[in-house]
Amino acid sequence: MKAKKLTDNIYWVGGIDWDLDNFHGYLTPRGSTYNAYLIIDEKVTLIDTVKHYLYDEMIARISDVIDPQKIDYIVSNHVEMDHSGGLPKLMKASKAQLFTSPKGKEGLEAHYDTDQWNIETIKAGEPLNIGERNLEFILTPMVHWPDNMLTYLPQEKILFSNDAFGQHIASSERFDDMLPLDIILEEAKRYYANIVMGYSSQVKRVLDNVAKMDLAIEMIAPSHGIIWRSNIGAILKNYTSWSKNETKNRALIVYDTMWGSTKKIAYALQGMFESLDIEVSVKNLDTHHISDVITEVLEAKYICVGSPTLNNNMLPTVASFLTYLKGLSPENKKGIAFGSYGWSGQSVGQVADVLDDTGYEVIDRVKMKYIPGKESLSNKINKLKEEI
Ligand code: FEO
């Protein structure tokens, strides 16, 4: 296993998780990487580690450059175990001093037996000198854990951004000019929607602060996937837009169905949006995973959610989607609840309540008994159309 050079004396020494297909519920069909970075200076410094089962791969890549026992400093930008999982073995194998945020120290102490670890907390605005270089730290609480921070290297103008700007892509290519940009941006979008979207206000604050600091950035080195060096403007533009919850004139219709009646309503809604020249996509939860559907939530202005009533409730697939949506979605969207029913008919009200709790403006509810008749459905849709 070889280290990959970012620039003189700075190397990627992470692990490639080719087999990863599910990251705590988020489908990752392209796998992922856990990116660790090695800086050779008077104080040999490692930024972040890898998931525990890729420890040997990380050590092999470090050993391609230097004896891992010569690591003096380790910077832990984030406690989550996909980046800290290599620490227990590494802290035992080296005499390294560990630098992290105050919340990072708290988190690491809660995750690992740190009695023998030499941990020092950093302060934002107080650089750490490692020889010819300084490391600067920017605290980014709740993007997306309390402990998160970024590490900036002014000499080479590299921002080690940890989860921010990452994507779940396993590849031997390390840079954004080595793979098709549309694939990298699509994976960055899926990553943002599934991991970061619920913290958009914090992302916006970080971006505003970084803009005020006027950092020169020639490389963004995240902790997952591809390193940005040729398309930094593109990923920053997207993050700025996503963090402001900017939407497109677009509708997303998400539903599940028992005997096809709720599906009929879904397709009638599709026709309505098409007639209004609003781009629309329709996702049946029986065939689309919630982590794929949530990516489409990110830029949609209208979110329509449909379920028939089963045993006085919405379908479990729809309840699962709504739970995921409520945890992640920004508030500035318009919602429509819909569904068919046979007798009790609670599902549409239940869906509308969750959309309302999520902070959406619920425009209307489309509730139809048994199989929606052509005329009654079209009357309902025409009435709804006037409200859009
Ligand atoms: Fe990639 Fe929040 O861990």
Side-chain angles (χ1 to χ4, degrees), residues 164-175:
F165 311 114
Q167 342 84 40
H168 283 313
I169 299 176
S171 69
S172 61
E173 293 89 349
R174 293 271 58 82
F175 296 100

Side-chain angles (χ1 to χ4, degrees), residues 311-325:
N311 302 328
N312 302 325
N313 278 288
M314 67 179 94
L315 290 181
T317 45
V318 179
S320 165
F321 170 71
L322 286 173
T323 301
Y324 201 52
L325 179 77

